[in-house]
């Protein structure tokens, strides 16, 4: 990926250099969210400023860690300081550069679709934080990638994944988008979006938001199952997903 196409990475680098604060997300129906996940303060937040359910989730991390979609590296860096062996991966070269500048020792430019390139049985914990359960993109893709995750993890590994339940909303624009998705044969929370930065727009991507019931349906028969749900005060939640 060239730097001109790495819009997300350019945004993170601007955050790192204190040249920008906000993230802009565009949904395919024209909705613009100028808050994104929360911008610079979110991507570079310290553990002391994390939400309680996010802090609690770190207690379930064990052994060798793979941080998928590591972004600016806040979870990887926290765990590295705690003595964990962590590999942060991201498909954004500039995001990986930011992680290295911030001191993350083990990084790799790698998309979630390329997990087959990782050695079998390597990891004991997989992080999908920052709503990164969404990187599964769709029901069939999630099940395919969960098989890859089984291959690269130890027998009693776990996935710690954050997502957002899309259904607790009364906003007409969101409800209309849910109806559009169902009409097209997609899951209601299967969002098509892209990141914008200055005059640049990144590639469109599918991003999957699911309810707890939908997550259980995705996991059924994959060898992975929800062990615990950690809930926030809103519709965000983190699932601790156990293998075996």
């Amino acid at each position: 990926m060239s730097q001109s196409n790495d819009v997300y990475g350019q945004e993170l680098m601007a955050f790192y250099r204190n040249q920008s604060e906000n993230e802009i997300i565009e949904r395919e129906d024209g909705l613009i969210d100028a808050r994104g996940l929360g911008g610079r303060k979110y991507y570079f937040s310290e553990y002391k400023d994390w939400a309680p359910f996010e802090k609690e989730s770190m207690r379930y991390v064990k052994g060798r860690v793979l941080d998928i979609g590591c972004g600016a590296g806040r979870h990887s860096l926290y765990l590295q300081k705690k003595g964990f062996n962590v590999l942060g991966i991201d498909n954004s070269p500039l995001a990986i550069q930011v992680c290295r500048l911030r001191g993350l020792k083990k990084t790799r430019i790698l998309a979630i679709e390329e997990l087959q390139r990782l050695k079998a049985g390597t990891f004991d914990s997989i992080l999908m934080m920052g709503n990164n359960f969404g990187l599964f993109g769709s029901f069939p893709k999630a099940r395919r990638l969960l098989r890859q995750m089984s291959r690269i993890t130890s027998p009693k590994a776990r996935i710690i994944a954050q997502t957002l339940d899309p259904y607790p909303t009364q906003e007409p624009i969101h409800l209309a988008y849910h109806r559009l998705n169902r009409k097209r044969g997609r899951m209601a929370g299967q969002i098509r979006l892209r990141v914008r930065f200055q005059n640049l727009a990144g590639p469109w991507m599918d991003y999957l938001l699911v309810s707890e019931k939908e997550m259980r349906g995705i996991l059924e028969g994959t060898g992975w199952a929800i062990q615990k749900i950690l809930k926030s005060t809103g519709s965000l939640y983190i699932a601790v997903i156990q293998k075996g």
Side-chain angles (χ1 to χ4, degrees), residues 132-201:
N132 274 351
F133 190 90
L135 296 176
F136 279 137
S138 69
F139 186 97
K141 183 178 176 181
R143 291 176 67 84
R144 184 170 68 252
L145 289 172
L146 284 162
R147 289 193 292 273
Q148 288 291 333
M149 290 179 181
S150 290
R151 187 190 67 81
I152 64 172
T153 52
S154 59
K156 295 186 178 180
R158 54 181 60 141
I159 301 168
I160 300 164
Q162 184 178 328
T163 188
L164 183 148
D165 186 338
Y167 300 106
T169 181
Q170 297 301 318
E171 292 289 338
I173 193 168
H174 296 318
L175 296 174
Y177 190 71
H178 292 173
R179 290 193 296 270
L180 173 64
N181 270 338
R182 292 190 184 100
K183 185 177 179 180
R184 298 185 294 183
R186 293 159 65 93
M187 295 180 71
Q190 189 176 347
I191 298 170
R192 193 150 183 81
L193 57 77
R194 62 183 178 181
V195 176
R196 301 193 68 99
F197 178 68
Q198 295 179 351
N199 63 333
L200 304 173

Coordinates of all heavy atoms in Angstrom, one line a residue, residues 132-201:
N132 N -12.5 -3.8 16.7 CA -11.9 -4.5 15.6 C -12.5 -5.9 15.3 O -12.1 -6.6 14.3 CB -10.4 -4.7 15.8 CG -9.7 -3.4 15.2 OD1 -10.3 -2.6 14.6 ND2 -8.4 -3.3 15.5
F133 N -13.5 -6.3 16.0 CA -14.3 -7.5 15.6 C -14.9 -7.1 14.2 O -15.2 -8.0 13.4 CB -15.5 -7.8 16.6 CG -16.2 -9.1 16.3 CD1 -15.8 -10.3 16.8 CD2 -17.3 -9.1 15.5 CE1 -16.4 -11.4 16.6 CE2 -18.0 -10.3 15.2 CZ -17.6 -11.5 15.7
G134 N -15.1 -5.8 14.0 CA -15.6 -5.3 12.7 C -14.8 -5.7 11.5 O -15.3 -5.7 10.4
L135 N -13.5 -5.9 11.7 CA -12.6 -6.3 10.6 C -13.0 -7.6 10.0 O -12.5 -7.9 8.8 CB -11.2 -6.3 11.1 CG -10.6 -5.0 11.5 CD1 -9.1 -5.2 12.1 CD2 -10.6 -4.0 10.4
F136 N -13.8 -8.4 10.6 CA -14.3 -9.7 10.0 C -15.1 -9.4 8.8 O -15.2 -10.2 7.9 CB -15.1 -10.5 11.0 CG -14.3 -11.3 12.0 CD1 -14.6 -11.3 13.3 CD2 -13.2 -12.0 11.6 CE1 -13.9 -12.1 14.2 CE2 -12.5 -12.8 12.4 CZ -12.8 -12.8 13.8
G137 N -15.8 -8.2 8.8 CA -16.5 -7.8 7.5 C -17.8 -8.4 7.2 O -18.7 -7.6 6.8
S138 N -17.9 -9.7 7.3 CA -19.2 -10.3 7.0 C -19.2 -11.7 7.7 O -18.2 -12.2 8.3 CB -19.3 -10.6 5.5 OG -18.3 -11.5 5.1
F139 N -20.4 -12.3 7.7 CA -20.6 -13.6 8.4 C -19.7 -14.7 7.8 O -18.9 -15.3 8.5 CB -22.1 -14.0 8.3 CG -22.4 -15.3 9.0 CD1 -23.0 -15.2 10.3 CD2 -22.2 -16.5 8.5 CE1 -23.3 -16.4 11.0 CE2 -22.5 -17.7 9.2 CZ -23.1 -17.6 10.4
P140 N -19.7 -14.9 6.5 CA -18.8 -15.9 5.9 C -17.3 -15.7 6.1 O -16.5 -16.6 6.3 CB -19.2 -16.0 4.5 CG -19.9 -14.8 4.2 CD -20.6 -14.3 5.4
K141 N -17.0 -14.4 6.0 CA -15.5 -14.0 6.1 C -15.1 -14.3 7.5 O -14.0 -14.7 7.8 CB -15.3 -12.6 5.7 CG -13.9 -12.1 5.8 CD -13.7 -10.7 5.3 CE -12.3 -10.2 5.4 NZ -12.1 -8.8 5.0
A142 N -16.0 -13.9 8.5 CA -15.6 -14.1 9.9 C -15.4 -15.6 10.2 O -14.4 -16.0 10.8 CB -16.8 -13.6 10.8
R143 N -16.2 -16.5 9.7 CA -16.0 -17.9 10.0 C -14.8 -18.5 9.3 O -14.1 -19.3 9.8 CB -17.3 -18.7 9.5 CG -18.5 -18.3 10.4 CD -19.8 -19.0 9.9 NE -19.7 -20.5 10.0 CZ -20.0 -21.1 11.1 NH1 -20.3 -20.5 12.3 NH2 -20.0 -22.4 11.2
R144 N -14.5 -17.9 8.1 CA -13.2 -18.3 7.4 C -12.0 -17.9 8.2 O -11.0 -18.7 8.4 CB -13.2 -17.7 6.0 CG -12.0 -18.2 5.2 CD -12.2 -17.7 3.7 NE -12.1 -16.3 3.5 CZ -13.2 -15.5 3.3 NH1 -14.4 -16.0 3.1 NH2 -13.0 -14.2 3.1
L145 N -12.0 -16.7 8.7 CA -10.9 -16.1 9.5 C -10.7 -16.8 10.8 O -9.6 -16.9 11.3 CB -11.0 -14.6 9.6 CG -10.7 -13.9 8.3 CD1 -11.1 -12.4 8.4 CD2 -9.3 -14.0 7.8
L146 N -11.9 -17.2 11.4 CA -11.8 -17.9 12.7 C -11.1 -19.2 12.6 O -10.4 -19.6 13.5 CB -13.2 -18.1 13.3 CG -13.9 -16.8 13.9 CD1 -15.4 -17.0 14.0 CD2 -13.2 -16.5 15.2
R147 N -11.2 -19.8 11.4 CA -10.5 -21.1 11.2 C -9.0 -20.8 11.1 O -8.2 -21.6 11.6 CB -11.0 -21.8 9.9 CG -12.4 -22.4 10.0 CD -12.7 -23.3 8.9 NE -12.8 -22.6 7.6 CZ -14.0 -22.1 7.2 NH1 -15.1 -22.2 7.9 NH2 -14.0 -21.5 6.0
Q148 N -8.6 -19.7 10.5 CA -7.2 -19.3 10.4 C -6.7 -19.0 11.8 O -5.5 -19.3 12.2 CB -7.0 -18.1 9.5 CG -7.2 -18.3 8.0 CD -6.1 -19.2 7.5 OE1 -4.9 -19.2 8.0 NE2 -6.4 -20.0 6.4
M149 N -7.5 -18.3 12.6 CA -7.1 -18.0 14.0 C -6.9 -19.3 14.8 O -6.0 -19.4 15.7 CB -8.1 -17.1 14.7 CG -8.2 -15.7 14.1 SD -9.4 -14.7 14.9 CE -9.2 -13.1 13.9
S150 N -7.7 -20.3 14.6 CA -7.5 -21.6 15.2 C -6.1 -22.2 14.9 O -5.4 -22.7 15.7 CB -8.6 -22.6 14.8 OG -9.9 -22.2 15.4
R151 N -5.8 -22.1 13.6 CA -4.5 -22.6 13.2 C -3.3 -21.9 13.8 O -2.3 -22.6 14.2 CB -4.4 -22.5 11.6 CG -3.2 -23.2 11.0 CD -3.0 -22.9 9.6 NE -2.6 -21.5 9.4 CZ -1.4 -21.0 9.5 NH1 -0.4 -21.8 9.9 NH2 -1.2 -19.7 9.3
I152 N -3.4 -20.6 14.0 CA -2.2 -19.9 14.5 C -2.1 -19.8 16.0 O -1.2 -19.1 16.5 CB -2.1 -18.5 13.9 CG1 -3.3 -17.6 14.3 CG2 -2.0 -18.6 12.4 CD1 -3.2 -16.2 13.9
T153 N -3.1 -20.4 16.7 CA -3.1 -20.2 18.2 C -2.9 -21.6 18.9 O -3.1 -22.6 18.3 CB -4.5 -19.6 18.6 OG1 -5.6 -20.4 18.0 CG2 -4.6 -18.2 18.2
S154 N -2.6 -21.5 20.2 CA -2.4 -22.6 21.0 C -3.8 -23.2 21.4 O -4.8 -22.6 21.2 CB -1.7 -22.2 22.3 OG -2.4 -21.2 23.0
P155 N -3.8 -24.5 22.0 CA -5.1 -25.2 22.2 C -6.1 -24.4 23.1 O -7.3 -24.6 22.9 CB -4.6 -26.5 22.9 CG -3.3 -26.7 22.3 CD -2.7 -25.3 22.2
K156 N -5.7 -23.7 24.0 CA -6.6 -23.0 24.9 C -6.5 -21.5 24.8 O -6.6 -20.7 25.8 CB -6.3 -23.4 26.4 CG -6.6 -24.9 26.6 CD -6.5 -25.2 28.1 CE -6.9 -26.7 28.3 NZ -6.8 -27.1 29.8
A157 N -6.3 -21.0 23.6 CA -6.1 -19.6 23.3 C -7.5 -18.9 23.5 O -8.5 -19.5 23.5 CB -5.6 -19.4 21.9
R158 N -7.4 -17.6 23.5 CA -8.6 -16.8 23.5 C -8.5 -15.5 22.6 O -7.4 -15.0 22.4 CB -8.9 -16.4 25.0 CG -7.9 -15.7 25.7 CD -8.3 -15.3 27.2 NE -8.6 -16.5 28.0 CZ -8.3 -16.6 29.3 NH1 -7.6 -15.7 29.9 NH2 -8.7 -17.7 29.9
I159 N -9.6 -15.1 22.2 CA -9.8 -13.8 21.4 C -10.5 -12.8 22.3 O -11.5 -13.1 22.9 CB -10.6 -14.0 20.1 CG1 -9.9 -15.1 19.2 CG2 -10.7 -12.7 19.4 CD1 -10.9 -15.6 18.1
I160 N -9.9 -11.6 22.4 CA -10.5 -10.5 23.1 C -10.9 -9.5 22.1 O -10.1 -8.8 21.5 CB -9.6 -10.0 24.2 CG1 -9.2 -11.1 25.2 CG2 -10.2 -8.8 25.0 CD1 -8.0 -10.8 26.0
A161 N -12.3 -9.4 21.9 CA -12.8 -8.6 20.8 C -13.8 -7.6 21.2 O -14.7 -7.9 21.9 CB -13.3 -9.6 19.7
Q162 N -13.6 -6.4 20.7 CA -14.6 -5.3 21.0 C -15.5 -5.0 19.8 O -15.0 -5.1 18.6 CB -13.9 -4.0 21.4 CG -14.8 -2.9 21.7 CD -14.0 -1.6 22.1 OE1 -12.9 -1.7 22.7 NE2 -14.6 -0.5 21.9
T163 N -16.7 -4.8 20.0 CA -17.7 -4.4 18.9 C -18.7 -3.5 19.5 O -18.7 -3.1 20.7 CB -18.3 -5.7 18.3 OG1 -19.0 -5.2 17.1 CG2 -19.2 -6.4 19.2
L164 N -19.7 -3.2 18.7 CA -20.8 -2.3 19.0 C -22.1 -2.9 18.5 O -22.2 -3.3 17.4 CB -20.6 -0.9 18.4 CG -21.6 0.2 18.8 CD1 -21.0 1.5 18.8 CD2 -22.8 0.2 17.7
D165 N -23.0 -3.1 19.4 CA -24.4 -3.6 19.1 C -25.1 -2.5 18.3 O -25.3 -1.5 18.8 CB -25.1 -4.0 20.3 CG -26.5 -4.7 20.0 OD1 -27.0 -4.5 18.9 OD2 -27.0 -5.4 20.9
P166 N -25.4 -2.7 17.0 CA -26.0 -1.7 16.2 C -27.5 -1.4 16.4 O -28.0 -0.4 15.9 CB -25.8 -2.2 14.7 CG -25.8 -3.7 14.9 CD -25.2 -4.0 16.2
Y167 N -28.1 -2.3 17.2 CA -29.6 -2.2 17.3 C -30.2 -1.2 18.3 O -31.3 -0.7 18.0 CB -30.1 -3.6 17.5 CG -29.8 -4.6 16.4 CD1 -28.8 -5.5 16.6 CD2 -30.3 -4.5 15.1 CE1 -28.4 -6.4 15.5 CE2 -30.0 -5.3 14.1 CZ -29.0 -6.3 14.3 OH -28.6 -7.1 13.3
P168 N -29.5 -0.9 19.4 CA -30.1 0.1 20.3 C -30.0 1.5 19.8 O -29.2 2.3 20.2 CB -29.3 -0.1 21.6 CG -28.6 -1.4 21.4 CD -28.3 -1.5 20.0
T169 N -30.8 1.8 18.8 CA -30.9 3.1 18.2 C -32.3 3.4 17.7 O -33.0 2.5 17.3 CB -29.9 3.3 17.0 OG1 -30.0 4.6 16.5 CG2 -30.2 2.3 15.9
Q170 N -32.7 4.7 17.8 CA -34.0 5.1 17.3 C -33.7 6.2 16.1 O -34.6 6.8 15.7 CB -34.8 5.8 18.4 CG -35.2 4.8 19.5 CD -36.0 3.6 18.9 OE1 -36.9 3.8 18.1 NE2 -35.7 2.4 19.4
E171 N -32.4 6.3 15.8 CA -32.1 7.3 14.7 C -32.6 6.8 13.4 O -32.2 5.7 12.9 CB -30.6 7.5 14.6 CG -30.0 8.2 15.9 CD -30.3 9.6 15.9 OE1 -30.7 10.2 14.9 OE2 -30.3 10.2 17.0
P172 N -33.5 7.6 12.7 CA -34.1 7.1 11.4 C -33.0 6.8 10.4 O -33.2 5.8 9.6 CB -34.9 8.4 11.0 CG -35.3 9.1 12.3 CD -34.1 8.9 13.2
I173 N -31.9 7.5 10.3 CA -30.9 7.3 9.3 C -30.2 5.9 9.5 O -29.9 5.2 8.6 CB -29.8 8.4 9.3 CG1 -29.0 8.3 8.0 CG2 -28.9 8.4 10.5 CD1 -28.1 9.5 7.7
H174 N -30.0 5.5 10.8 CA -29.5 4.2 11.1 C -30.5 3.1 10.8 O -30.1 2.0 10.2 CB -29.0 4.1 12.5 CG -27.8 5.1 12.8 ND1 -26.8 5.3 11.9 CD2 -27.6 5.9 13.9 CE1 -25.9 6.2 12.5 NE2 -26.4 6.5 13.7
L175 N -31.7 3.3 11.2 CA -32.7 2.3 11.0 C -33.0 2.1 9.5 O -33.2 0.9 9.0 CB -34.0 2.7 11.7 CG -34.0 2.8 13.2 CD1 -35.3 3.4 13.8 CD2 -33.7 1.4 13.8
A176 N -32.9 3.1 8.7 CA -33.1 3.0 7.3 C -31.9 2.2 6.7 O -32.1 1.4 5.7 CB -33.1 4.4 6.6
Y177 N -30.7 2.4 7.2 CA -29.5 1.7 6.7 C -29.6 0.2 7.0 O -29.3 -0.6 6.2 CB -28.2 2.3 7.3 CG -27.0 1.8 6.6 CD1 -26.7 2.1 5.3 CD2 -26.1 0.9 7.3 CE1 -25.5 1.6 4.7 CE2 -25.0 0.4 6.7 CZ -24.7 0.8 5.4 OH -23.5 0.3 4.8
H178 N -30.2 -0.1 8.2 CA -30.4 -1.5 8.6 C -31.3 -2.1 7.6 O -31.1 -3.3 7.1 CB -31.0 -1.6 10.0 CG -30.1 -1.2 11.1 ND1 -30.5 -1.1 12.4 CD2 -28.7 -0.8 11.1 CE1 -29.4 -0.7 13.1 NE2 -28.4 -0.5 12.4
R179 N -32.4 -1.4 7.3 CA -33.4 -2.0 6.3 C -32.8 -2.2 4.9 O -33.0 -3.2 4.3 CB -34.6 -1.1 6.2 CG -35.5 -1.0 7.4 CD -36.8 -0.4 7.2 NE -36.6 1.1 6.9 CZ -36.6 2.1 7.7 NH1 -36.8 1.8 9.0 NH2 -36.5 3.3 7.4
L180 N -31.9 -1.2 4.5 CA -31.2 -1.4 3.2 C -30.3 -2.6 3.2 O -30.3 -3.4 2.2 CB -30.4 -0.1 2.9 CG -29.5 -0.1 1.7 CD1 -30.3 -0.3 0.4 CD2 -28.6 1.1 1.7
N181 N -29.6 -2.8 4.3 CA -28.7 -4.0 4.4 C -29.5 -5.3 4.3 O -29.1 -6.2 3.6 CB -27.9 -3.9 5.6 CG -26.6 -3.2 5.5 OD1 -26.1 -3.0 4.4 ND2 -26.0 -2.7 6.6
R182 N -30.6 -5.4 5.0 CA -31.4 -6.6 5.0 C -32.0 -6.8 3.6 O -32.0 -8.0 3.1 CB -32.5 -6.5 6.0 CG -32.1 -6.5 7.5 CD -33.2 -6.6 8.4 NE -32.8 -6.5 9.8 CZ -33.0 -5.4 10.5 NH1 -33.5 -4.3 10.0 NH2 -32.6 -5.4 11.8
K183 N -32.4 -5.8 2.9 CA -32.9 -5.9 1.6 C -31.9 -6.4 0.6 O -32.2 -7.2 -0.3 CB -33.4 -4.5 1.1 CG -34.1 -4.5 -0.3 CD -34.6 -3.1 -0.6 CE -35.3 -3.1 -2.0 NZ -35.8 -1.8 -2.3
R184 N -30.6 -6.1 0.9 CA -29.5 -6.6 0.0 C -28.9 -7.9 0.4 O -28.0 -8.4 -0.1 CB -28.4 -5.5 0.0 CG -28.7 -4.2 -0.5 CD -27.6 -3.2 -0.6 NE -27.0 -2.9 0.7 CZ -26.0 -2.0 0.9 NH1 -25.5 -1.4 -0.1 NH2 -25.6 -1.7 2.1
G185 N -29.5 -8.5 1.5 CA -29.1 -9.8 1.9 C -27.8 -9.7 2.8 O -27.1 -10.7 3.0
R186 N -27.6 -8.5 3.4 CA -26.5 -8.3 4.3 C -27.0 -8.3 5.7 O -28.2 -8.1 6.0 CB -25.8 -7.0 4.0 CG -25.1 -7.0 2.6 CD -24.8 -5.6 2.1 NE -23.9 -4.8 2.9 CZ -22.6 -4.8 2.7 NH1 -22.0 -5.4 1.7 NH2 -21.8 -4.0 3.4
M187 N -26.1 -8.5 6.7 CA -26.4 -8.3 8.1 C -26.7 -6.9 8.3 O -26.0 -6.0 7.7 CB -25.3 -8.8 9.0 CG -25.0 -10.3 8.9 SD -23.7 -10.9 10.0 CE -24.4 -10.7 11.6
A188 N -27.6 -6.5 9.2 CA -28.0 -5.1 9.4 C -26.8 -4.3 9.8 O -26.8 -3.1 9.4 CB -29.1 -5.1 10.5
G189 N -25.9 -4.8 10.6 CA -24.8 -4.0 11.0 C -23.5 -4.2 10.2 O -22.4 -3.8 10.6
Q190 N -23.7 -4.7 8.9 CA -22.6 -4.8 8.0 C -22.4 -3.5 7.2 O -23.1 -3.2 6.2 CB -22.8 -5.9 7.0 CG -21.6 -6.3 6.2 CD -21.8 -7.5 5.3 OE1 -22.7 -8.2 5.5 NE2 -20.9 -7.7 4.3
I191 N -21.5 -2.6 7.8 CA -21.4 -1.2 7.3 C -20.3 -1.2 6.2 O -19.3 -1.8 6.3 CB -21.0 -0.3 8.4 CG1 -22.1 -0.3 9.5 CG2 -20.8 1.1 7.9 CD1 -21.7 0.4 10.8
R192 N -20.6 -0.4 5.2 CA -19.6 -0.1 4.1 C -19.1 1.3 4.4 O -19.9 2.3 4.3 CB -20.1 -0.3 2.7 CG -19.1 -0.3 1.7 CD -19.5 -1.1 0.5 NE -18.4 -1.2 -0.5 CZ -17.3 -2.1 -0.5 NH1 -17.2 -2.8 0.6 NH2 -16.4 -2.1 -1.4
L193 N -17.8 1.5 4.7 CA -17.3 2.8 5.1 C -15.9 3.0 4.5 O -15.3 2.1 4.0 CB -17.4 2.9 6.6 CG -16.6 1.9 7.5 CD1 -15.1 2.1 7.5 CD2 -17.1 1.9 8.9
R194 N -15.5 4.3 4.7 CA -14.1 4.6 4.4 C -13.7 5.8 5.3 O -14.5 6.5 5.8 CB -13.9 5.0 2.9 CG -14.7 6.2 2.5 CD -14.5 6.4 1.0 NE -15.2 7.6 0.5 CZ -15.2 8.0 -0.8 NH1 -14.5 7.3 -1.7 NH2 -15.9 9.0 -1.2
V195 N -12.4 5.9 5.5 CA -11.8 6.9 6.3 C -11.4 8.1 5.3 O -10.9 7.9 4.2 CB -10.5 6.4 7.0 CG1 -9.8 7.6 7.7 CG2 -10.8 5.3 7.9
R196 N -11.7 9.3 5.8 CA -11.3 10.5 5.0 C -10.3 11.3 5.9 O -10.4 11.4 7.1 CB -12.5 11.4 4.7 CG -13.6 10.6 3.9 CD -14.6 11.6 3.3 NE -14.0 12.5 2.3 CZ -14.1 12.3 1.0 NH1 -14.8 11.3 0.5 NH2 -13.6 13.1 0.2
F197 N -9.4 11.9 5.2 CA -8.4 12.8 5.9 C -8.0 13.9 4.9 O -7.5 13.6 3.8 CB -7.1 12.0 6.3 CG -6.1 12.8 6.9 CD1 -6.3 13.4 8.2 CD2 -4.9 13.0 6.3 CE1 -5.3 14.2 8.8 CE2 -3.9 13.8 6.9 CZ -4.1 14.4 8.2
Q198 N -8.2 15.1 5.4 CA -7.9 16.3 4.5 C -8.7 16.1 3.2 O -9.9 16.0 3.2 CB -6.4 16.5 4.4 CG -5.8 16.9 5.7 CD -4.3 17.1 5.6 OE1 -3.6 16.8 4.6 NE2 -3.7 17.6 6.6
N199 N -7.9 16.1 2.1 CA -8.6 16.0 0.8 C -8.6 14.6 0.2 O -8.8 14.3 -0.9 CB -8.0 16.9 -0.3 CG -6.5 16.6 -0.6 OD1 -5.8 16.1 0.3 ND2 -6.0 16.9 -1.7
L200 N -8.2 13.6 1.1 CA -8.0 12.2 0.7 C -9.2 11.3 1.2 O -9.8 11.6 2.3 CB -6.7 11.7 1.2 CG -5.5 12.5 0.8 CD1 -4.3 11.9 1.6 CD2 -5.3 12.4 -0.7
A201 N -9.5 10.3 0.5 CA -10.5 9.3 0.9 C -9.8 7.9 0.7 O -9.3 7.6 -0.3 CB -11.7 9.4 0.1

